[in-house]
Amino acid sequence: MTRRLRWAAMAVVAVGWGLRVSNLGGPELWFDEAASHFIASRPPQEILSYVASAPFEHPPLYYLFLHEAMRFLGDTEWSLRFPSAVLGMALLLGLWRAGTSMGGMPLAMTAITFAAVSPFLITYSQEARMYALLQCLGLLSTMLLH
């Protein structure tokens, strides 16, 4: 990788990070985020049993992840949304890896540039919901299939 491309990639990642963490603690939790907090506040065994008994609830992986994050970060709006921002950054790094292995540096740079500024991806990286995790797992499954 050339030095210029490395700096450009780091700049894109820095912009992506800034967009994801800006105003994380600003708006109050909306209903679904409050539900994530309600579920993740329980002990892990109760999370599993709650999700198993709730027919329209999401799988427990995100709630278990959020539960552990809350142990270290607390339960403010910012700290509940921060794990999703980290997962959003993991998606950018994963896109770089996938892009370089599937199509080279130009594809990787294009992928992370579009993903870094995508309003859709930024929004889901700022919610205390499982959408950023879902994106990462979708990319991982694509990479494993490749």
Side-chain angles (χ1 to χ4, degrees):
M1 174 164 42
T2 67
R3 176 178 242 186
R4 180 176 287 173
L5 189 58
R6 184 177 306 137
W7 280 104
M10 288 191 299
V12 167
V13 168
V15 166
W17 177 249
L19 291 171
R20 280 157 178 78
V21 296
S22 67
N23 202 27
L24 274 184
E28 291 183 2
L29 296 179
W30 61 289
F31 181 78
D32 286 354
E33 290 179 309
S36 292
H37 177 260
F38 172 75
I39 296 167
S41 296
R42 300 166 178 247
Q45 189 59 38
E46 285 184 35
I47 292 172
L48 295 174
S49 63
Y50 178 82
V51 169
S53 67
F56 299 108
E57 198 51 66
H58 299 289
L61 182 61
Y62 179 76
Y63 300 124
L64 294 169
F65 176 65
L66 186 58
H67 174 82
E68 291 303 314
M70 287 169 53
R71 287 182 50 214
F72 296 103
L73 301 173
D75 64 351
T76 64
E77 282 90 352
W78 184 92
S79 60
L80 289 170
R81 293 176 179 138
F82 186 73
S84 292
V86 170
L87 288 167
M89 290 310 296
L91 179 71
L92 289 182
L93 299 176
L95 283 171
W96 178 263
R97 174 77 180 192
T100 55
S101 68
M102 292 180 194
M105 299 285 183
L107 176 64
M109 193 65 193
T110 302
I112 67 166
T113 301
F114 280 112
V117 298
S118 166
F120 177 78
L121 296 177
I122 293 167
T123 297
Y124 287 130
S125 293
Q126 292 182 326
E127 291 186 358
R129 294 298 285 163
M130 77 300 171
Y131 305 119
L133 176 62
L134 183 64
Q135 294 162 1
C136 288
L137 293 175
L139 178 62
L140 178 62
S141 67
T142 301
M143 291 171 67
L144 290 173
L145 285 171
H146 178 70

